[in-house]
Coordinates of all heavy atoms in Angstrom, one line a residue:
S22 N 94.5 97.4 16.0 CA 94.6 98.2 17.2 C 93.5 99.3 17.2 O 92.9 99.7 18.2 CB 96.0 98.9 17.3 OG 96.1 99.8 18.3
N23 N 93.3 99.9 16.0 CA 92.3 100.9 15.8 C 90.9 100.4 16.2 O 90.1 101.1 16.8 CB 92.3 101.5 14.4 CG 93.4 102.4 14.1 OD1 94.0 103.0 15.0 ND2 93.8 102.6 12.8
I24 N 90.6 99.2 15.7 CA 89.3 98.6 16.0 C 89.2 98.4 17.5 O 88.1 98.7 18.1 CB 89.2 97.2 15.3 CG1 89.3 97.4 13.8 CG2 87.9 96.5 15.7 CD1 89.4 96.1 13.0
R25 N 90.3 97.9 18.2 CA 90.2 97.7 19.6 C 90.0 99.0 20.4 O 89.1 99.2 21.3 CB 91.5 97.1 20.1 CG 91.5 96.8 21.6 CD 92.9 96.3 22.1 NE 92.9 96.0 23.5 CZ 93.0 96.9 24.5 NH1 93.2 98.2 24.2 NH2 93.0 96.5 25.8
E26 N 90.7 100.1 20.0 CA 90.7 101.3 20.7 C 89.4 102.1 20.4 O 88.8 102.7 21.3 CB 91.9 102.2 20.3 CG 93.2 101.6 20.6 CD 93.4 101.3 22.1 OE1 92.9 102.1 22.9 OE2 93.9 100.2 22.4
K27 N 88.9 102.0 19.2 CA 87.6 102.8 18.9 C 86.4 101.9 19.1 O 85.3 102.5 19.1 CB 87.7 103.2 17.4 CG 88.9 104.2 17.2 CD 88.9 104.7 15.7 CE 90.0 105.7 15.5 NZ 90.1 106.1 14.1
G28 N 86.5 100.6 19.3 CA 85.4 99.8 19.5 C 84.7 99.3 18.2 O 84.2 98.2 18.1
R29 N 84.8 100.2 17.2 CA 84.1 99.8 15.9 C 84.9 100.6 14.8 O 85.2 101.8 15.0 CB 82.7 100.3 15.9 CG 81.9 99.9 14.6 CD 80.5 100.4 14.7 NE 79.7 100.1 13.6 CZ 78.8 99.1 13.5 NH1 78.7 98.3 14.6 NH2 78.1 98.8 12.4
Y30 N 85.2 99.9 13.7 CA 86.0 100.5 12.6 C 85.6 99.9 11.3 O 85.3 98.7 11.2 CB 87.5 100.3 12.9 CG 88.4 101.2 12.1 CD1 88.6 102.5 12.4 CD2 89.2 100.6 11.1 CE1 89.5 103.3 11.7 CE2 90.0 101.4 10.3 CZ 90.2 102.8 10.6 OH 91.0 103.5 9.9
R31 N 85.7 100.8 10.3 CA 85.3 100.3 8.9 C 86.6 99.9 8.1 O 87.5 100.7 8.1 CB 84.5 101.4 8.2 CG 84.1 101.1 6.7 CD 83.0 102.0 6.2 NE 81.8 101.7 7.0 CZ 80.7 102.4 6.8 NH1 80.6 103.4 5.9 NH2 79.6 102.1 7.5
V32 N 86.5 98.8 7.4 CA 87.7 98.3 6.6 C 87.2 97.9 5.3 O 86.0 97.6 5.0 CB 88.4 97.1 7.3 CG1 88.9 97.5 8.7 CG2 87.5 95.9 7.4
I33 N 88.2 98.0 4.3 CA 87.9 97.5 2.9 C 88.9 96.3 2.8 O 90.1 96.5 2.9 CB 88.2 98.5 1.9 CG1 87.3 99.7 2.0 CG2 88.1 97.9 0.5 CD1 87.6 100.9 1.1
D34 N 88.3 95.1 2.6 CA 89.2 93.9 2.6 C 88.4 92.8 1.8 O 87.2 92.9 1.5 CB 89.4 93.4 4.0 CG 90.7 92.5 4.1 OD1 91.2 92.1 3.0 OD2 91.1 92.2 5.2
K35 N 89.2 91.8 1.4 CA 88.6 90.6 0.7 C 88.2 89.6 1.8 O 89.0 89.2 2.6 CB 89.6 90.0 -0.2 CG 89.0 88.9 -1.1 CD 90.0 88.4 -2.1 CE 89.4 87.4 -3.1 NZ 90.3 86.9 -4.1
V36 N 86.9 89.2 1.8 CA 86.3 88.4 2.8 C 85.8 87.1 2.2 O 85.2 87.0 1.2 CB 85.1 89.1 3.5 CG1 84.5 88.3 4.6 CG2 85.5 90.5 4.0
Q37 N 86.2 86.0 2.9 CA 85.7 84.7 2.5 C 85.1 84.0 3.8 O 85.6 84.1 4.9 CB 86.9 83.8 2.0 CG 86.4 82.4 1.5 CD 87.4 81.7 0.7 OE1 88.5 82.2 0.5 NE2 87.1 80.5 0.3
V38 N 84.0 83.3 3.6 CA 83.3 82.7 4.7 C 83.3 81.2 4.6 O 83.2 80.7 3.4 CB 81.8 83.3 4.7 CG1 81.0 82.6 5.8 CG2 81.8 84.8 4.9
Q39 N 83.4 80.5 5.7 CA 83.3 79.1 5.7 C 82.3 78.7 6.8 O 82.0 79.4 7.8 CB 84.6 78.4 6.1 CG 85.7 78.6 5.0 CD 87.0 77.9 5.4 OE1 87.3 77.8 6.6 NE2 87.7 77.5 4.4
L40 N 81.6 77.5 6.5 CA 80.7 76.9 7.5 C 81.5 76.1 8.5 O 82.2 75.1 8.1 CB 79.6 76.1 6.8 CG 78.7 75.3 7.7 CD1 77.8 76.3 8.5 CD2 77.8 74.4 6.9
N41 N 81.3 76.4 9.8 CA 81.9 75.6 10.8 C 80.8 74.5 11.2 O 79.9 74.9 12.0 CB 82.3 76.4 12.0 CG 83.0 75.7 13.1 OD1 82.7 74.5 13.3 ND2 83.8 76.3 13.9
E42 N 81.0 73.3 10.7 CA 79.9 72.3 10.9 C 79.8 71.9 12.4 O 78.8 71.6 12.9 CB 80.2 71.1 10.1 CG 80.1 71.3 8.6 CD 81.5 71.5 8.0 OE1 82.4 72.0 8.7 OE2 81.7 71.3 6.8
K43 N 81.0 72.0 13.1 CA 81.0 71.5 14.5 C 80.2 72.4 15.4 O 79.4 72.0 16.2 CB 82.5 71.5 15.0 CG 82.6 71.0 16.4 CD 84.1 70.9 16.8 CE 84.3 70.4 18.2 NZ 85.7 70.3 18.6
D44 N 80.3 73.8 15.1 CA 79.5 74.7 15.9 C 78.3 75.2 15.2 O 77.5 76.0 15.8 CB 80.4 75.9 16.3 CG 81.6 75.5 17.2 OD1 81.4 74.5 17.9 OD2 82.6 76.2 17.2
D45 N 78.1 74.8 14.0 CA 76.9 75.2 13.2 C 76.9 76.7 13.0 O 75.9 77.4 13.2 CB 75.6 74.7 13.8 CG 74.4 74.9 12.8 OD1 74.7 74.9 11.6 OD2 73.3 75.1 13.3
T46 N 78.0 77.3 12.7 CA 78.1 78.8 12.5 C 78.9 79.1 11.2 O 79.7 78.3 10.8 CB 78.9 79.4 13.7 OG1 80.2 78.8 13.8 CG2 78.1 79.2 15.0
Y47 N 78.6 80.3 10.7 CA 79.4 80.8 9.5 C 80.5 81.7 10.1 O 80.2 82.6 10.9 CB 78.5 81.6 8.6 CG 77.5 80.7 7.8 CD1 76.2 80.7 8.1 CD2 78.0 79.9 6.8 CE1 75.3 79.9 7.4 CE2 77.1 79.1 6.0 CZ 75.7 79.1 6.4 OH 74.8 78.3 5.7
E48 N 81.7 81.5 9.6 CA 82.8 82.2 10.1 C 83.6 82.9 8.9 O 83.9 82.2 7.9 CB 83.8 81.3 10.8 CG 83.1 80.7 12.1 CD 84.0 79.7 12.8 OE1 85.1 79.4 12.2 OE2 83.6 79.3 13.9
A49 N 83.9 84.2 9.1 CA 84.5 84.9 8.0 C 86.0 85.0 8.3 O 86.5 85.1 9.4 CB 83.9 86.3 7.9
E50 N 86.8 85.1 7.2 CA 88.2 85.3 7.2 C 88.5 86.5 6.4 O 88.1 86.6 5.2 CB 89.0 84.0 6.7 CG 90.5 84.2 6.7 CD 91.2 83.0 6.2 OE1 90.5 81.9 6.1 OE2 92.4 83.1 5.9
F51 N 89.3 87.4 6.9 CA 89.7 88.7 6.2 C 91.1 88.5 5.7 O 92.1 88.3 6.5 CB 89.6 89.9 7.2 CG 88.2 90.2 7.5 CD1 87.4 89.4 8.4 CD2 87.6 91.4 7.0 CE1 86.1 89.7 8.7 CE2 86.3 91.7 7.3 CZ 85.5 90.9 8.1
A52 N 91.2 88.6 4.4 CA 92.5 88.2 3.7 C 93.7 89.1 4.1 O 94.7 88.5 4.5 CB 92.3 88.3 2.2
N53 N 93.5 90.4 4.1 CA 94.6 91.3 4.5 C 94.7 91.5 6.0 O 95.8 91.6 6.5 CB 94.5 92.6 3.7 CG 94.8 92.4 2.2 OD1 95.2 91.3 1.8 ND2 94.5 93.5 1.4
L54 N 93.6 91.7 6.6 CA 93.6 92.0 8.0 C 94.1 90.8 8.8 O 94.7 90.9 9.9 CB 92.2 92.3 8.5 CG 92.0 92.9 9.9 CD1 92.9 94.2 10.1 CD2 90.5 93.3 10.1
G55 N 93.9 89.6 8.3 CA 94.4 88.4 8.9 C 93.6 87.8 10.1 O 94.1 87.0 10.9
I56 N 92.4 88.3 10.3 CA 91.6 87.7 11.4 C 90.6 86.6 10.8 O 90.2 86.7 9.7 CB 90.8 88.8 12.1 CG1 89.8 89.5 11.1 CG2 91.7 89.8 12.7 CD1 88.9 90.6 11.8
K57 N 90.4 85.7 11.7 CA 89.5 84.5 11.3 C 88.4 84.3 12.3 O 88.4 84.9 13.4 CB 90.4 83.3 11.2 CG 91.6 83.4 10.2 CD 92.4 82.1 10.2 CE 93.5 82.2 9.2 NZ 94.3 80.9 9.2
Q58 N 87.5 83.4 11.9 CA 86.5 82.9 12.8 C 85.5 84.0 13.3 O 85.0 84.0 14.4 CB 87.0 82.2 14.0 CG 87.8 80.9 13.6 CD 88.4 80.2 14.8 OE1 89.1 80.8 15.6 NE2 88.2 78.9 14.9
V59 N 85.4 85.1 12.4 CA 84.5 86.1 12.7 C 83.0 85.7 12.4 O 82.8 85.3 11.3 CB 84.8 87.4 12.0 CG1 83.9 88.6 12.4 CG2 86.3 87.8 12.2
L60 N 82.1 85.7 13.4 CA 80.8 85.2 13.1 C 80.0 86.0 12.1 O 80.1 87.3 12.1 CB 80.0 85.2 14.5 CG 80.6 84.2 15.5 CD1 79.7 84.3 16.8 CD2 80.6 82.8 15.0
V61 N 79.3 85.3 11.2 CA 78.5 85.9 10.2 C 77.1 85.3 10.3 O 76.9 84.1 10.4 CB 79.1 85.7 8.8 CG1 78.2 86.3 7.7 CG2 80.5 86.1 8.7
S62 N 76.1 86.2 10.2 CA 74.7 85.7 10.3 C 74.3 84.9 9.1 O 74.7 85.3 8.0 CB 73.8 86.9 10.6 OG 73.6 87.6 9.4
P63 N 73.4 83.9 9.2 CA 72.9 83.2 8.1 C 72.2 84.1 7.1 O 72.2 83.9 5.9 CB 71.9 82.2 8.7 CG 72.4 82.0 10.1 CD 73.0 83.3 10.5
A64 N 71.6 85.2 7.5 CA 70.9 86.1 6.6 C 71.9 86.8 5.7 O 71.6 87.0 4.5 CB 70.1 87.2 7.5
T65 N 73.1 87.1 6.2 CA 74.1 87.7 5.3 C 74.5 86.7 4.3 O 74.7 87.1 3.1 CB 75.3 88.1 6.2 OG1 74.9 89.1 7.2 CG2 76.4 88.7 5.3
I66 N 74.7 85.5 4.6 CA 75.1 84.4 3.6 C 74.0 84.3 2.6 O 74.3 84.1 1.4 CB 75.4 83.1 4.4 CG1 76.6 83.3 5.3 CG2 75.7 82.0 3.3 CD1 77.9 83.8 4.7
K67 N 72.8 84.3 3.0 CA 71.7 84.1 2.1 C 71.6 85.3 1.1 O 71.4 85.1 -0.1 CB 70.4 84.1 2.9 CG 69.2 83.7 2.0 CD 67.9 83.5 2.8 CE 66.7 83.0 2.0 NZ 65.5 82.8 2.8
A68 N 72.0 86.5 1.6 CA 72.0 87.6 0.7 C 73.2 87.7 -0.2 O 73.1 88.2 -1.4 CB 71.9 88.9 1.5

């Protein structure tokens, strides 16, 4: 709700990324926040 209301918010969480082969995109999942399919740039994965 804070993210929605403020538009942008900083969190500390455990993040895991998967490759969506169908859409050719990297997608992040936030363990505690419970959100999935958050787009991640290839540059971030490379780093």
Side-chain angles (χ1 to χ4, degrees):
S22 174
N23 283 339
I24 298 171
R25 179 187 184 278
E26 298 303 322
K27 296 180 179 180
R29 185 184 181 98
Y30 194 75
R31 179 162 292 178
V32 300
I33 298 173
D34 201 350
K35 188 175 184 181
V36 183
Q37 183 169 359
V38 176
Q39 292 183 333
L40 174 64
N41 183 334
E42 298 96 335
K43 185 177 179 180
D44 296 337
D45 191 30
T46 57
Y47 290 106
E48 298 175 351
E50 177 179 350
F51 289 72
N53 290 351
L54 192 56
I56 60 176
K57 302 178 180 180
Q58 299 179 309
V59 182
L60 295 180
V61 181
S62 72
T65 299
I66 299 302
K67 189 174 182 179

